[in-house]
mmCIF file with all atom_site columns, all heavy atoms in Angstrom:
data_model
loop_
_atom_site.group_PDB
_atom_site.id
_atom_site.type_symbol
_atom_site.label_atom_id
_atom_site.label_alt_id
_atom_site.label_comp_id
_atom_site.label_asym_id
_atom_site.label_entity_id
_atom_site.label_seq_id
_atom_site.pdbx_PDB_ins_code
_atom_site.Cartn_x
_atom_site.Cartn_y
_atom_site.Cartn_z
_atom_site.occupancy
_atom_site.B_iso_or_equiv
_atom_site.pdbx_formal_charge
_atom_site.auth_seq_id
_atom_site.auth_comp_id
_atom_site.auth_asym_id
_atom_site.auth_atom_id
_atom_site.pdbx_PDB_model_num
ATOM 1  N N   . ARG D 1 65 ? 140.717 131.271 74.221 1.00 0.00 ? 65 ARG D N   1
ATOM 2  C CA  . ARG D 1 65 ? 141.989 131.275 73.471 1.00 0.00 ? 65 ARG D CA  1
ATOM 3  C C   . ARG D 1 65 ? 142.988 130.294 74.087 1.00 0.00 ? 65 ARG D C   1
ATOM 4  O O   . ARG D 1 65 ? 143.638 129.540 73.403 1.00 0.00 ? 65 ARG D O   1
ATOM 5  C CB  . ARG D 1 65 ? 142.593 132.666 73.388 1.00 0.00 ? 65 ARG D CB  1
ATOM 6  C CG  . ARG D 1 65 ? 141.833 133.605 72.455 1.00 0.00 ? 65 ARG D CG  1
ATOM 7  C CD  . ARG D 1 65 ? 142.648 134.838 72.095 1.00 0.00 ? 65 ARG D CD  1
ATOM 8  N NE  . ARG D 1 65 ? 143.062 135.641 73.216 1.00 0.00 ? 65 ARG D NE  1
ATOM 9  C CZ  . ARG D 1 65 ? 142.420 136.696 73.705 1.00 0.00 ? 65 ARG D CZ  1
ATOM 10 N NH1 . ARG D 1 65 ? 141.293 137.074 73.140 1.00 0.00 ? 65 ARG D NH1 1
ATOM 11 N NH2 . ARG D 1 65 ? 142.924 137.384 74.693 1.00 0.00 ? 65 ARG D NH2 1
ATOM 12 N N   . VAL D 1 66 ? 143.113 130.348 75.415 1.00 0.00 ? 66 VAL D N   1
ATOM 13 C CA  . VAL D 1 66 ? 144.047 129.462 76.071 1.00 0.00 ? 66 VAL D CA  1
ATOM 14 C C   . VAL D 1 66 ? 143.596 128.004 75.970 1.00 0.00 ? 66 VAL D C   1
ATOM 15 O O   . VAL D 1 66 ? 144.394 127.110 75.740 1.00 0.00 ? 66 VAL D O   1
ATOM 16 C CB  . VAL D 1 66 ? 144.223 129.889 77.568 1.00 0.00 ? 66 VAL D CB  1
ATOM 17 C CG1 . VAL D 1 66 ? 145.068 128.860 78.305 1.00 0.00 ? 66 VAL D CG1 1
ATOM 18 C CG2 . VAL D 1 66 ? 144.868 131.258 77.641 1.00 0.00 ? 66 VAL D CG2 1
ATOM 19 N N   . MET D 1 67 ? 142.277 127.793 76.102 1.00 0.00 ? 67 MET D N   1
ATOM 20 C CA  . MET D 1 67 ? 141.766 126.415 75.998 1.00 0.00 ? 67 MET D CA  1
ATOM 21 C C   . MET D 1 67 ? 142.008 125.809 74.618 1.00 0.00 ? 67 MET D C   1
ATOM 22 O O   . MET D 1 67 ? 142.299 124.614 74.497 1.00 0.00 ? 67 MET D O   1
ATOM 23 C CB  . MET D 1 67 ? 140.277 126.401 76.340 1.00 0.00 ? 67 MET D CB  1
ATOM 24 C CG  . MET D 1 67 ? 139.960 126.635 77.782 1.00 0.00 ? 67 MET D CG  1
ATOM 25 S SD  . MET D 1 67 ? 140.586 125.360 78.899 1.00 0.00 ? 67 MET D SD  1
ATOM 26 C CE  . MET D 1 67 ? 139.408 124.037 78.527 1.00 0.00 ? 67 MET D CE  1
ATOM 27 N N   . GLU D 1 68 ? 141.943 126.619 73.551 1.00 0.00 ? 68 GLU D N   1
ATOM 28 C CA  . GLU D 1 68 ? 142.234 126.105 72.189 1.00 0.00 ? 68 GLU D CA  1
ATOM 29 C C   . GLU D 1 68 ? 143.688 125.597 72.152 1.00 0.00 ? 68 GLU D C   1
ATOM 30 O O   . GLU D 1 68 ? 143.933 124.532 71.572 1.00 0.00 ? 68 GLU D O   1
ATOM 31 C CB  . GLU D 1 68 ? 142.043 127.216 71.161 1.00 0.00 ? 68 GLU D CB  1
ATOM 32 C CG  . GLU D 1 68 ? 140.612 127.506 70.821 1.00 0.00 ? 68 GLU D CG  1
ATOM 33 C CD  . GLU D 1 68 ? 140.473 128.602 69.766 1.00 0.00 ? 68 GLU D CD  1
ATOM 34 O OE1 . GLU D 1 68 ? 141.473 128.898 69.062 1.00 0.00 ? 68 GLU D OE1 1
ATOM 35 O OE2 . GLU D 1 68 ? 139.371 129.178 69.678 1.00 0.00 ? 68 GLU D OE2 1
ATOM 36 N N   . ARG D 1 69 ? 144.601 126.355 72.694 1.00 0.00 ? 69 ARG D N   1
ATOM 37 C CA  . ARG D 1 69 ? 146.009 125.946 72.664 1.00 0.00 ? 69 ARG D CA  1
ATOM 38 C C   . ARG D 1 69 ? 146.267 124.705 73.540 1.00 0.00 ? 69 ARG D C   1
ATOM 39 O O   . ARG D 1 69 ? 147.021 123.820 73.186 1.00 0.00 ? 69 ARG D O   1
ATOM 40 C CB  . ARG D 1 69 ? 146.901 127.090 73.108 1.00 0.00 ? 69 ARG D CB  1
ATOM 41 C CG  . ARG D 1 69 ? 146.989 128.175 72.046 1.00 0.00 ? 69 ARG D CG  1
ATOM 42 C CD  . ARG D 1 69 ? 148.059 129.196 72.399 1.00 0.00 ? 69 ARG D CD  1
ATOM 43 N NE  . ARG D 1 69 ? 147.506 130.488 72.056 1.00 0.00 ? 69 ARG D NE  1
ATOM 44 C CZ  . ARG D 1 69 ? 147.267 131.475 72.904 1.00 0.00 ? 69 ARG D CZ  1
ATOM 45 N NH1 . ARG D 1 69 ? 147.600 131.366 74.168 1.00 0.00 ? 69 ARG D NH1 1
ATOM 46 N NH2 . ARG D 1 69 ? 146.721 132.573 72.494 1.00 0.00 ? 69 ARG D NH2 1
ATOM 47 N N   . LEU D 1 70 ? 145.573 124.657 74.684 1.00 0.00 ? 70 LEU D N   1
ATOM 48 C CA  . LEU D 1 70 ? 145.716 123.470 75.554 1.00 0.00 ? 70 LEU D CA  1
ATOM 49 C C   . LEU D 1 70 ? 145.166 122.247 74.881 1.00 0.00 ? 70 LEU D C   1
ATOM 50 O O   . LEU D 1 70 ? 145.757 121.167 74.974 1.00 0.00 ? 70 LEU D O   1
ATOM 51 C CB  . LEU D 1 70 ? 144.989 123.722 76.892 1.00 0.00 ? 70 LEU D CB  1
ATOM 52 C CG  . LEU D 1 70 ? 145.636 124.712 77.836 1.00 0.00 ? 70 LEU D CG  1
ATOM 53 C CD1 . LEU D 1 70 ? 144.762 124.910 79.074 1.00 0.00 ? 70 LEU D CD1 1
ATOM 54 C CD2 . LEU D 1 70 ? 147.037 124.231 78.245 1.00 0.00 ? 70 LEU D CD2 1
ATOM 55 N N   . GLU D 1 71 ? 144.039 122.363 74.202 1.00 0.00 ? 71 GLU D N   1
ATOM 56 C CA  . GLU D 1 71 ? 143.471 121.213 73.502 1.00 0.00 ? 71 GLU D CA  1
ATOM 57 C C   . GLU D 1 71 ? 144.407 120.634 72.454 1.00 0.00 ? 71 GLU D C   1
ATOM 58 O O   . GLU D 1 71 ? 144.514 119.436 72.289 1.00 0.00 ? 71 GLU D O   1
ATOM 59 C CB  . GLU D 1 71 ? 142.114 121.601 72.872 1.00 0.00 ? 71 GLU D CB  1
ATOM 60 C CG  . GLU D 1 71 ? 141.376 120.444 72.231 1.00 0.00 ? 71 GLU D CG  1
ATOM 61 C CD  . GLU D 1 71 ? 140.026 120.819 71.708 1.00 0.00 ? 71 GLU D CD  1
ATOM 62 O OE1 . GLU D 1 71 ? 139.766 122.011 71.463 1.00 0.00 ? 71 GLU D OE1 1
ATOM 63 O OE2 . GLU D 1 71 ? 139.191 119.899 71.592 1.00 0.00 ? 71 GLU D OE2 1
ATOM 64 N N   . ALA D 1 72 ? 145.121 121.505 71.766 1.00 0.00 ? 72 ALA D N   1
ATOM 65 C CA  . ALA D 1 72 ? 146.088 121.075 70.751 1.00 0.00 ? 72 ALA D CA  1
ATOM 66 C C   . ALA D 1 72 ? 147.320 120.448 71.388 1.00 0.00 ? 72 ALA D C   1
ATOM 67 O O   . ALA D 1 72 ? 147.963 119.574 70.752 1.00 0.00 ? 72 ALA D O   1
ATOM 68 C CB  . ALA D 1 72 ? 146.499 122.262 69.875 1.00 0.00 ? 72 ALA D CB  1
ATOM 69 N N   . ALA D 1 73 ? 147.644 120.819 72.613 1.00 0.00 ? 73 ALA D N   1
ATOM 70 C CA  . ALA D 1 73 ? 148.896 120.352 73.262 1.00 0.00 ? 73 ALA D CA  1
ATOM 71 C C   . ALA D 1 73 ? 148.686 119.166 74.184 1.00 0.00 ? 73 ALA D C   1
ATOM 72 O O   . ALA D 1 73 ? 149.702 118.524 74.544 1.00 0.00 ? 73 ALA D O   1
ATOM 73 C CB  . ALA D 1 73 ? 149.526 121.505 74.044 1.00 0.00 ? 73 ALA D CB  1
ATOM 74 N N   . MET D 1 74 ? 147.468 118.846 74.555 1.00 0.00 ? 74 MET D N   1
ATOM 75 C CA  . MET D 1 74 ? 147.225 117.792 75.547 1.00 0.00 ? 74 MET D CA  1
ATOM 76 C C   . MET D 1 74 ? 146.503 116.606 74.952 1.00 0.00 ? 74 MET D C   1
ATOM 77 O O   . MET D 1 74 ? 145.701 116.772 74.046 1.00 0.00 ? 74 MET D O   1
ATOM 78 C CB  . MET D 1 74 ? 146.359 118.377 76.684 1.00 0.00 ? 74 MET D CB  1
ATOM 79 C CG  . MET D 1 74 ? 146.976 119.495 77.483 1.00 0.00 ? 74 MET D CG  1
ATOM 80 S SD  . MET D 1 74 ? 145.835 120.200 78.708 1.00 0.00 ? 74 MET D SD  1
ATOM 81 C CE  . MET D 1 74 ? 145.805 118.873 79.891 1.00 0.00 ? 74 MET D CE  1
ATOM 82 N N   . PRO D 1 75 ? 146.756 115.416 75.501 1.00 0.00 ? 75 PRO D N   1
ATOM 83 C CA  . PRO D 1 75 ? 145.936 114.268 75.123 1.00 0.00 ? 75 PRO D CA  1
ATOM 84 C C   . PRO D 1 75 ? 144.474 114.519 75.500 1.00 0.00 ? 75 PRO D C   1
ATOM 85 O O   . PRO D 1 75 ? 144.188 115.197 76.467 1.00 0.00 ? 75 PRO D O   1
ATOM 86 C CB  . PRO D 1 75 ? 146.517 113.125 75.969 1.00 0.00 ? 75 PRO D CB  1
ATOM 87 C CG  . PRO D 1 75 ? 147.869 113.577 76.372 1.00 0.00 ? 75 PRO D CG  1
ATOM 88 C CD  . PRO D 1 75 ? 147.804 115.078 76.474 1.00 0.00 ? 75 PRO D CD  1
ATOM 89 N N   . ALA D 1 76 ? 143.563 113.943 74.703 1.00 0.00 ? 76 ALA D N   1
ATOM 90 C CA  . ALA D 1 76 ? 142.128 114.189 74.903 1.00 0.00 ? 76 ALA D CA  1
ATOM 91 C C   . ALA D 1 76 ? 141.654 113.837 76.288 1.00 0.00 ? 76 ALA D C   1
ATOM 92 O O   . ALA D 1 76 ? 140.857 114.559 76.874 1.00 0.00 ? 76 ALA D O   1
ATOM 93 C CB  . ALA D 1 76 ? 141.328 113.429 73.840 1.00 0.00 ? 76 ALA D CB  1
#
Side-chain angles (χ1 to χ4, degrees):
R65 288 196 303 264
V66 173
M67 290 295 287
E68 283 180 19
R69 288 190 220 118
L70 288 175
E71 185 174 22
M74 297 175 72

